[in-house]
C-alpha cells in the first residue's frame, strides 16, 4: 500500500483524519489566527501602558510615523494599479481555460490573489504603525527605567509585527482554502477537491509575494537612499554626529528603518510563511492528512511563539552577549514547544502508517534546527563579539579600501556554512519524505515565526529609539543604552535576514517540485541545452535584480545629497542648530524616488518567468527557477552578511571604543564600509529572497496553462511579455532615468562658514559638469 496516497484509498476513508472535511482541515488555522490577533490586542494594550516621554520626543516620533504612513500610502497607490491588472488577468485567463473545468475558476484564482495581496499589505501597515509608536516609548524607558525595560518595550513592538504576520497569514490562507473547496470536484475521497484547492492557493501566495517584492524593493531603496545621503553629507562633509537634528535627512533615515526593515521584512516573511504551507499542501497530492499537517503545525507554532514571547528578559547592565541570549531564550522556548506539538501531531494523525509520520516529523525537526543554526552562523559573522567583524575594524587602520576588501571576503566566506546546513537539510528530508518532507522542513523552520520575526522587527524600533534620544538631546547615558540595543538590533536584523534566506530557499525548492508535477515535467536533465539555457538565465536574474536596486539607491541617494547640501547652504543658522531643517522635503524625495525605482525590477521579476515559460516551454522554466535559487541564495547571503559585518565594525568602534574610538581615521574608514554595506544588507540582498519565491509562485500559477507543452510550442505567446518588458524598460528610462542628477554642488569639509551657516559653493551653476547617476 502506497503511503503517499494512504488517505486516497477507500479502505482508509472512514477514519479520522482521512475522513476530515475542508472546514476540519482549516479549523486549527482559523482558531490560531484568531488567537494571534487577540495576542496582538494584548501586546498593544501592554505597549500603551509605557509612557511616551516629553513633547519634543513625541514630535519627533510623530514625524517618523507621518513619513512612514505617507510612504506606504504612496506605494500602495502604485500597487493598486498592478493588483487590478493582475486581478482582471486571472479572471480572463482561467475563465476561458479553467483548470478544474468550472468557469468560476477565474474568480477563485483572482480573489485568492487579491486576498493574499491585501493581507500582506495589511500586515506591513499594522506592524509599521506599531513600530513607529514603540520607538519613543523605548527611548523613554531607556531614560527612566533602564536597559531591561527598554528591551522589553522594543521587543513588544516587534512582537506585534510577528503575531500580526502569522495571524493574518494563517487565518487568510485557511479561510480561502475552505472557500476553494466549495463548488469544486465532488469526489467521495475529496482527493481532487483538495488537490485543486491547494493548486488555486498558489494565487494567494502570488498576491502576497507581489506585495513583498515591491515592499522590499521600494522600502529598501527609501531607507538606504536616506541613510547614505544623511551619512555622506552629515558625517563626512559636515562632520556632525549620527542622528543629529540639524541633518535634514535624519527623519527620512528613521522613516526608512520602518518602511524597509519592518513593513518590508514583514511582507517578505508573510510570503515565506504562507508559501511554505501552500507548497506542502500541493505536494500532499490530495492526501487529507498531509494537506492538514502544515496548517496544524503552523497553527500550533503560533501558540509556541506565545510561550516564547514571555521567555525574553534581560538585566540592567547586560553585555551584548547577555542581550543576545535574552532574545535567544524566546527562540529556544518556542522551538521546544513547537517540536513537542509537532511530535504529537505526527504521532496521532498518521495512524497505521506511523513510520511515515515520524519521518515527516524528522523533516520538521531538521527545518527548525536548520533555521536556528543559520541564525547562529549569521550572528558569528555579523556581531562584533566575534573575530570576523573585529578583523574588518582592524583593516580600517590602513584605510577604507582594505575595509571594503575585508568585508567582501567575510561576506563570501560566510556563504559556506549556511549552504552546507541547507544542503544537509534538503538531502536528509528528501531521503525521509521526498519533496513533501522538504516542504515540511520549511514549515518547521517558519513555525515559530511569531517570535523570530519579533526579534528582527525589534531592531528598527531600537534604532529609532536611539535617533530620538539624539535628536531630543537626552543625556549621554540614554544614548549609551539605546546604542547597546541598536547594536543588538543590527545583529538580530542580520540573523533575521539569514533566517529569511534559508526559509526562502527551502520554500522555493518546494514550489519548484510542485511546479514540475503540475507542468507534467517527467525529469529535468541538466545536460539538456534547453535546461542549461534556462539555468543560465535564472542565474543571471539575481545579479540583474541586485544591480538595478543598487543603482537605484545610488541615484535616489544623489537626490537626497543635493537636498541636504542645499539646506545647509541656504538655511541660515542650520549648521549652528539655530534653525530647523525641512525634514519633510527629504521624506518626499525618498518616497518619490523609491516608488519610481521599484517599477523596473518589478517588471523583470514578474514577466521573466512568464516570458520563458510561454516562449520556450516548461522545461526551460524549470531550469530558470533552479538557476535563480542557486545564484540568488549565494548573492543574498554574501550581501546581507557583508553589509551587517561592515555596519557592526563601525558600531564596535563607536560603542566599545575600539581602535581609538570615534573620530579617528579608522572610524572614518569603517563609516565608508558601512555606507557601502547599507544597500547590500537592506536593499539588494533581502529583495533576492522575494525574487526567487515570486518567480516560483508565478511559474506555479501559469503551470496549468503550459502543462505538457513541448519546447517552442506556441512560442508566439511568449512575445507578449517580452514586448511588455521592453516597453516598460523604455518608459522607465524615458521618464525616470534619462535625465541625470548633478551631484557636483560643493560643500566645504567644515560645512562652510560656521558663522553664517552657509556652505561653500565655489562651483557656479554654469560651470557644473553633468554627471548622470544611473
Amino acid at each position: 500500500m502506497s503511503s503517499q496516497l494512504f488517505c486516497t484509498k477507500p479502505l482508509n476513508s472512514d477514519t479520522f483524519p482521512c475522513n476530515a472535511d475542508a472546514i476540519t482541515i482549516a479549523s486549527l488555522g482559523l482558531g490560531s489566527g484568531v488567537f494571534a490577533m487577540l495576542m496582538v490586542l494584548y501586546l498593544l494594550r501592554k505597549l500603551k501602558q509605557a509612557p511616551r516621554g516629553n513633547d519634543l520626543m513625541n514630535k519627533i516620533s510623530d514625524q517618523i510615523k507621518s513619513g512612514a504612513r505617507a510612504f506606504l500610502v504612496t506605494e500602495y497607490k502604485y500597487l493598486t494599479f498592478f493588483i487590478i491588472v493582475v486581478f482582471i488577468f486571472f479572471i480572463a485567463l482561467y475563465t476561458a481555460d479553467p483548470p478544474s473545468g468550472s468557469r468560476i475558476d477565474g474568480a477563485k484564482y483572482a480573489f485568492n490573489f487579491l486576498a493574499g495581496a491585501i493581507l500582506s499589505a495589511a500586515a506591513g501597515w499594522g506592524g509599521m504603525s506599531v513600530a513607529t509608536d514603540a520607538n519613543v516609548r523605548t527611548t523613554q524607558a531607556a531614560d527612566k527605567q533602564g536597559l531591561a525595560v527598554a528591551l522589553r518595550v522594543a521587543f513588544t513592538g516587534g512582537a506585534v509585527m510577528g503575531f500580526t504576520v502569522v495571524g493574518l497569514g494563517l487565518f487568510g490562507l485557511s479561510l480561502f482554502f475552505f472557500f476553494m473547496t466549495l463548488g469544486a470536484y465532488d469526489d467521495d475521497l475529496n482527493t481532487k477537491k483538495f488537490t485543486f484547492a491547494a493548486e488555486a492557493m498558489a494565487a494567494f501566495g502570488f498576491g502576497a509575494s507581489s506585495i513583498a517584492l515591491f515592499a522590499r524593493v521600494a522600502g529598501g531603496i527609501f531607507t538606504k537612499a536616506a541613510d547614505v545621503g544623511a551619512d555622506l553629507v552629515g558625517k563626512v562633509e559636515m562632520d556632525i554626529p549620527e542622528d543629529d537634528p540639524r541633518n535634514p535627512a535624519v527623519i527620512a533615515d528613521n522613516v526608512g528603518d520602518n518602511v524597509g526593515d519592518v513593513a518590508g521584512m514583514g511582507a517578505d516573511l508573510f510570503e515565506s510563511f504562507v508559501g511554505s504551507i501552500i507548497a506542502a499542501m500541493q505536494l500532499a497530492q490530495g492526501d487529507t492528512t498531509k494537506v492538514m499537517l502544515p496548517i496544524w503545525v503552523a497553527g500550533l507554532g503560533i501558540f509556541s511563539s506565545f510561550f516564547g514571547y514571555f521567555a525574553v528578559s534581560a538585566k540592567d547592565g547586560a553585555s551584548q552577549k547577555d542581550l543576545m541570549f535574552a532574545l535567544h531564550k524566546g527562540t529556544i522556548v518556542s522551538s521546544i514547544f513547537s517540536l513537542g506539538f509537532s511530535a504529537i501531531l505526527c504521532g496521532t494523525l498518521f495512524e497505521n502508517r506511523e513510520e511515515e509520520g515520524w519521518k515527516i516529523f524528522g523533516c520538521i525537526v531538521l527545518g527548525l534546527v536548520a533555521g536556528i543554526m543559520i541564525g547562529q552562523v549569521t550572528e558569528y559573522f555579523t556581531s562584533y563579539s566575534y573575530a570576523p567583524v573585529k578583523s574588518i575594524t582592524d583593516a580600517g587602520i590602513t584605510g577604507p579600501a582594505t575595509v571594503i576588501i575585508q568585508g567582501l571576503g567575510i561576506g563570501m566566506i560566510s556563504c559556506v556554512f549556511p549552504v552546507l546546513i541547507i544542503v544537509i537539510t534538503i538531502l536528509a528530508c528528501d531521503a525521509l519524505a521526498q519533496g513533501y518532507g522538504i516542504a515540511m522542513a520549511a514549515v518547521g523552520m517558519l513555525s515559530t515565526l511569531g517570535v523570530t520575526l519579533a526579534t528582527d522587527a525589534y531592531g528598527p524600533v531600537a534604532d529609532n529609539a536611539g535617533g530620538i534620544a539624539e535628536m531630543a538631546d537626552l543625556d549621554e547615558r540614554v544614548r549609551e543604552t539605546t546604542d547597546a540595543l541598536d547594536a543588538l538590533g543590527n545583529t538580530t536584523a542580520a540573523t533575521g535576514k539569514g533566517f529569511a534566506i534559508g526559509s526562502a530557499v527551502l520554500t522555493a525548492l518546494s514550489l519548484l517540485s510542485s511546479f514540475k508535477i503540475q507542468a507534467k515535467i517527467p525529469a529535468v536533465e541538466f545536460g539538456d541545452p534547453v535546461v542549461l539555457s534556462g539555468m543560465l538565465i535564472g542565474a543571471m536574474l539575481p545579479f540583474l535584480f541586485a544591480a538595478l536596486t543598487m543603482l537605484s539607491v545610488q541615484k535616489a541617494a544623489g537626490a537626497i545629497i543635493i537636498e541636504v547640501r542645499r539646506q545647509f547652504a541656504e538655511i541660515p543658522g542650520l549648521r549652528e542648530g539655530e534653525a530647523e531643517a525641512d525634514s519633510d522635503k527629504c521624506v518626499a524625495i525618498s518616497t518619490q524616488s523609491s516608488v519610481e525605482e521599484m517599477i523596473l525590477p518589478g517588471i523583470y521579476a514578474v514577466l521573466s518567468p512568464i516570458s520563458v515559460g510561454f516562449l520556450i516551454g516548461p522545461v526551460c522554466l524549470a531550469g530558470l527557477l533552479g538557476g535563480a535559487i542557486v545564484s540568488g541564495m549565494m548573492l543574498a547571503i554574501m550581501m546581507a552578511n557583508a553589509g551587517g559585518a561592515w555596519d557592526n565594525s563601525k558600531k564596535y568602534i563607536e560603542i566599545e571604543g575600539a581602535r581609538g574610538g570615534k573620530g579617528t581615521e579608522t572610524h572614518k574608514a569603517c563609516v565608508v564600509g558601512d555606507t557601502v554595506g547599507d544597500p547590500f544588507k537592506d536593499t539588494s540582498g533581502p529583495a533576492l529572497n522575494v525574487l526567487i519565491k515570486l518567480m516560483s509562485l508565478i511559474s506555479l500559477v501559469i503551470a496549468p496553462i503550459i502543462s505538457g507543452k513541448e519546447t517552442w510550442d506556441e512560442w508566439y505567446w511568449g512575445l507578449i511579455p517580452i514586448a511588455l518588458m521592453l516597453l516598460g524598460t523604455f518608459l522607465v528610462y524615458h521618464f525616470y532615468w534619462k535625465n541625470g542628477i548633478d551631484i557636483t554642488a560643493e560643500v566645504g569639509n567644515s560645512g562652510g562658514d560656521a558663522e553664517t551657516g552657509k556652505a561653500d559653493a565655489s562651483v557656479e551653476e554654469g560651470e557644473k559638469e553633468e554627471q548622470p547617476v544611473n
Side-chain angles (χ1 to χ4, degrees):
M1 181 179 295
S2 173
S3 61
Q4 277 291 96
L5 301 175
F6 182 87
C7 278
T8 65
K9 296 184 178 294
L11 180 64
N12 307 307
S13 62
D14 294 331
T15 58
F16 184 82
C18 291
N19 63 351
D21 56 10
I23 192 62
T24 302
I25 291 174
S27 59
L28 187 56
L30 296 171
S32 57
V34 171
F35 174 81
M37 299 318 296
L38 292 175
M39 179 64 177
V40 168
L41 294 177
Y42 165 78
L43 294 173
L44 288 174
R45 182 181 177 185
K46 186 174 182 180
L47 194 62
K48 294 296 182 184
Q49 294 173 352
R52 285 178 56 92
N54 60 44
D55 290 342
L56 179 57
M57 292 165 61
N58 282 287
K59 177 185 176 182
I60 295 168
S61 177
D62 290 342
Q63 282 182 296
I64 296 171
K65 175 175 285 190
S66 175
R69 286 184 172 178
F71 166 80
L72 287 184
V73 167
T74 304
E75 180 186 43
Y76 290 167
K77 285 180 180 178
Y78 275 70
L79 291 181
T80 299
F81 174 76
F82 170 78
I83 291 169
I84 291 173
V85 170
V86 177
F87 182 86
I88 295 172
F89 171 78
F90 275 134
I91 288 182
L93 181 65
Y94 287 118
T95 300
D97 186 11
S100 73
S102 172
R103 293 295 179 183
I104 66 171
D105 285 359
K108 287 187 173 182
Y109 272 80
F111 281 101
N112 251 325
F113 169 80
L114 184 63
I118 290 175
L119 289 174
S120 179
W125 178 275
M128 177 277 300
S129 297
V130 175
T132 52
D133 181 55
N135 53 18
V136 68
R137 301 179 192 275
T138 302
T139 307
Q140 179 68 3
D143 184 17
K144 303 300 182 183
Q145 297 173 286
L147 179 66
V149 177
L151 173 67
R152 168 56 66 177
V153 173
F155 184 72
T156 299
V160 173
M161 177 85 257
F163 283 97
T164 299
V165 164
V166 296
L168 290 179
L170 190 57
F171 183 87
L173 185 146
S174 301
L175 183 64
F176 272 80
F177 170 77
F178 170 69
F179 287 160
M180 291 306 102
T181 63
L182 301 178
Y185 296 97
D186 186 19
D187 57 310
D188 293 336
L189 303 180
N190 289 327
T191 304
K192 293 182 179 178
K193 179 185 292 186
F194 293 161
T195 300
F196 169 73
E199 290 174 356
M201 292 308 298
F204 185 96
F206 177 28
S209 193
S210 299
I211 297 299
L213 178 80
F214 291 112
R216 264 302 196 190
V217 172
I221 292 171
F222 183 109
T223 183
K224 291 305 110 178
D227 194 0
V228 170
D231 284 354
L232 289 181
V233 180
K235 290 183 179 180
V236 179
E237 294 182 359
M238 308 304 296
D239 196 24
I240 58 178
E242 184 173 5
D243 293 323
D244 193 295
R246 293 171 291 177
N247 192 329
V250 162
I251 293 294
D253 184 10
N254 283 274
V255 168
D257 291 334
N258 293 283
V259 300
D261 292 337
V262 178
M265 173 61 87
D268 178 359
L269 288 173
F270 179 98
E271 190 279 327
S272 284
F273 182 65
V274 300
S276 63
I277 297 172
I278 291 169
M281 292 169 69
Q282 291 193 356
L283 291 169
Q285 299 180 51
D287 188 314
T288 305
T289 303
K290 290 185 176 181
V291 172
M292 180 189 298
L293 184 63
I295 295 178
W296 285 32
V297 168
L300 291 176
I302 291 177
F303 291 96
S304 302
S305 297
F306 169 80
F307 295 117
Y309 166 79
F310 289 101
V312 174
S313 62
K315 296 180 180 179
D316 288 332
S319 66
Q320 281 293 303
K321 286 188 176 181
D322 293 334
L323 290 172
M324 182 57 71
F325 178 70
L327 296 183
H328 282 335
K329 284 190 295 185
T331 304
I332 293 169
V333 169
S334 60
S335 297
I336 292 172
F337 274 98
S338 182
L339 289 177
F341 288 140
S342 297
I344 294 172
L345 287 177
C346 292
T348 56
L349 294 180
F350 288 84
E351 187 178 355
N352 298 324
R353 49 173 176 167
E354 289 81 3
E355 182 180 352
E356 182 182 11
W358 290 117
K359 285 182 177 179
I360 294 172
F361 174 69
C363 294
I364 296 173
V365 173
L366 285 168
L368 197 55
V369 172
I372 294 173
M373 291 180 66
I374 290 173
Q376 294 294 316
V377 170
T378 305
E379 179 186 339
Y380 175 76
F381 281 101
T382 57
S383 172
Y384 68 63
S385 299
Y386 303 102
V389 171
K390 291 180 179 179
S391 73
I392 297 175
T393 303
D394 293 341
I397 296 173
T398 51
T402 45
V403 168
I404 302 298
I405 294 169
Q406 184 73 10
L408 285 173
I410 294 297
M412 290 176 184
I413 203 169
S414 71
C415 295
V416 174
F417 297 103
V419 168
L420 293 177
I421 292 168
I422 290 294
V423 166
I424 292 171
T425 303
I426 291 171
L427 292 176
C429 291
D430 180 64
L432 289 171
Q434 295 79 51
Y436 183 80
I438 297 172
M440 286 307 302
V443 173
M445 183 181 290
L446 292 162
S447 62
T448 59
L449 183 61
V451 72
T452 51
L453 181 53
T455 63
D456 192 11
Y458 143 89
V461 176
D463 193 358
N464 273 199
I468 292 172
E470 181 70 31
M471 287 183 275
D473 196 26
L474 299 182
D475 290 343
E476 183 64 26
R477 63 175 177 78
V478 180
R479 186 66 208 231
E480 289 175 358
T481 300
T482 57
D483 278 349
L485 295 175
D486 185 21
L488 176 65
N490 286 335
T491 303
T492 60
T495 303
K497 291 180 178 69
F499 177 82
I501 293 166
S503 63
V505 171
L506 290 178
T507 300
L509 184 61
S510 302
L511 293 169
L512 173 57
S513 298
S514 183
F515 168 74
K516 286 173 57 183
I517 294 172
Q518 290 195 40
K520 297 179 181 176
I521 301 173
V524 177
E525 298 291 340
F526 295 114
D528 184 345
V530 175
V531 176
L532 184 59
S533 298
M535 292 177 65
L536 290 173
I537 295 171
M540 171 272 295
L541 286 173
F543 285 88
L544 173 63
F545 196 80
L548 289 173
T549 50
M550 290 283 286
L551 292 172
S552 294
V553 169
Q554 195 264 353
K555 182 171 179 283
I560 293 293
I561 288 170
I562 292 171
E563 177 58 25
V564 175
R565 285 173 172 172
R566 183 195 67 78
Q567 291 195 33
F568 274 118
E570 297 179 5
I571 299 178
L574 179 60
R575 179 69 175 83
E576 293 76 25
E578 298 170 357
E580 188 171 339
D582 184 6
S583 301
D584 292 342
K585 182 67 174 178
C586 289
V587 172
I589 290 173
S590 289
T591 298
Q592 190 61 33
S593 296
S594 59
V595 294
E596 290 173 357
E597 297 297 326
M598 76 178 180
I599 296 174
L600 197 57
I603 289 173
Y604 291 155
V606 172
L607 294 180
S608 292
I610 298 175
S611 301
V612 171
F614 281 100
L615 180 70
I616 304 176
V619 173
C620 188
L621 181 52
L624 180 149
L625 297 178
I629 292 171
V630 172
S631 78
M633 179 184 180
M634 301 301 111
L635 195 57
I637 293 174
M638 187 278 290
M639 297 183 89
N641 288 351
W646 275 318
D647 191 355
N648 274 338
S649 71
K650 178 196 70 174
K651 292 290 184 184
Y652 184 43
I653 294 174
E654 295 173 347
I655 296 175
E656 303 295 338
R659 296 301 177 185
K662 293 182 181 180
T664 62
E665 291 302 315
T666 302
H667 180 229
K668 292 178 181 178
C670 290
V671 168
V672 173
D674 175 41
T675 305
V676 174
D678 277 337
F680 266 53
K681 67 182 176 66
D682 291 324
T683 307
S684 300
L688 295 175
N689 308 333
V690 189
L691 175 69
I692 61 176
K693 292 179 293 182
L694 175 63
M695 292 198 299
S696 299
L697 281 163
I698 291 173
S699 302
L700 206 53
V701 168
I702 66 172
I705 304 298
I706 62 175
S707 176
K709 293 190 181 297
E710 297 294 330
T711 302
W712 301 109
D713 274 0
E714 300 179 356
W715 57 269
Y716 41 84
W717 292 112
L719 298 178
I720 297 175
I722 291 176
L724 291 175
M725 280 197 289
L726 293 175
L727 177 62
T729 302
F730 171 77
L731 292 176
V732 169
Y733 173 78
H734 178 75
F735 287 108
Y736 304 137
W737 285 63
K738 183 177 180 181
N739 298 319
I741 296 177
D742 179 11
I743 57 172
T744 59
E746 292 187 359
V747 177
N749 291 333
S750 64
D753 188 338
E755 294 185 3
T756 64
K758 294 183 179 180
D760 299 329
S762 58
V763 180
E764 295 297 325
E765 187 68 26
E767 298 174 350
K768 293 176 183 177
E769 178 183 351
E770 288 294 321
Q771 292 189 2
V773 180
N774 292 322

